[in-house]
Amino acid sequence: MEVKEKTIYKLGFDQKDKTQLTSKLNLLLASYHVHYQKLRNFHWNIEGENFFELHGKFEELYNFSKVNIDDIAERIRVFGDRPMASLQEYLKYSTIKEPNGIPDSNEMVISILGDFEVLIKQMVDILDLANQIGDVSTIDLLTKILKQTEKYFWMFRSFVS
Ligand SMILES: [Fe+2]
């Protein structure tokens, strides 16, 4: 009896392009996870006159991040690759670093602003590659996240200035 080779289903992208894209998405995922945990930390530990405002805003942001993390990880799976899934890997590969101790409320906002800069830079870089290889679905996904992150960036910058 003839043994048929297992069919490998692929999206229409060059293997090298695809690997480059998912590698970059994985680095974004790692940064996003550290950012997410930082937001939870700040949500729990915020003190002072801005408590109610920032406690709520950090919660809004970690919920926004949670959705984005899932969408980015699942986009990597769509390509057949594996998203980083351990805290060790996230800490190792994240461009965003964990805070030392508990910052005051103003330092928290400045720290999150710095995170936005990193995330925006990483997303713009991935969008550039996605444009080059015609990956419209990744463009669609990241454009939405980027647009909202830029809006948060403006709001946080206005808060500290
Ligand atoms: Fe809470």
Side-chain angles (χ1 to χ4, degrees):
M1 199 171 82
E2 191 188 346
V3 179
K4 282 187 182 170
E5 268 189 46
K6 193 179 167 206
T7 311
I8 299 167
Y9 300 98
K10 286 192 241 175
L11 297 178
F13 294 102
D14 178 85
Q15 180 73 17
K16 199 168 127 275
D17 290 343
K18 183 215 74 162
T19 304
Q20 204 189 348
L21 190 92
T22 56
S23 299
K24 284 174 184 283
L25 285 171
N26 254 320
L27 295 177
L28 176 64
L29 185 68
S31 295
Y32 236 125
H33 263 279
V34 175
H35 173 65
Y36 171 82
Q37 188 53 39
K38 189 191 282 189
L39 288 164
R40 299 217 69 137
N41 174 350
F42 291 177
H43 169 74
W44 295 326
N45 288 305
I46 176 89
E47 285 184 343
E49 59 181 329
N50 298 316
F51 175 86
F52 288 110
E53 198 174 349
L54 289 178
H55 175 72
K57 187 53 73 178
F58 292 144
E59 180 172 0
E60 178 186 324
L61 275 165
Y62 73 63
N63 284 325
F64 172 65
S65 300
K66 189 170 69 181
V67 174
N68 299 338
I69 283 167
D70 198 51
D71 286 345
I72 293 163
E74 289 178 355
R75 184 72 193 145
I76 295 168
R77 289 299 294 134
V78 165
F79 282 104
D81 287 343
R82 294 278 176 198
M84 281 186 215
S86 77
L87 296 174
Q88 273 184 344
E89 284 175 302
Y90 295 146
L91 284 172
K92 185 175 173 190
Y93 292 103
S94 171
T95 307
I96 292 170
K97 297 300 164 202
E98 293 196 300
N100 293 315
I102 298 166
D104 68 32
S105 66
N106 205 51
E107 287 165 348
M108 285 180 178
V109 173
I110 290 167
S111 177
I112 296 300
L113 259 177
D115 289 6
F116 288 153
E117 279 183 342
V118 169
L119 294 172
I120 287 168
K121 193 164 180 287
Q122 286 188 299
M123 284 190 274
V124 168
D125 180 51
I126 297 168
L127 280 165
D128 187 37
L129 177 63
N131 262 307
Q132 284 173 43
I133 68 174
D135 175 10
V136 290
S137 301
T138 297
I139 293 169
D140 180 58
L141 171 67
L142 290 189
T143 301
K144 285 177 185 141
I145 301 173
L146 180 64
K147 190 176 172 187
Q148 186 57 43
T149 307
E150 285 172 340
K151 200 166 177 180
Y152 281 130
F153 181 79
W154 155 59
M155 290 173 176
F156 272 62
R157 196 183 52 203
S158 300
F159 186 91
V160 289
S161 60

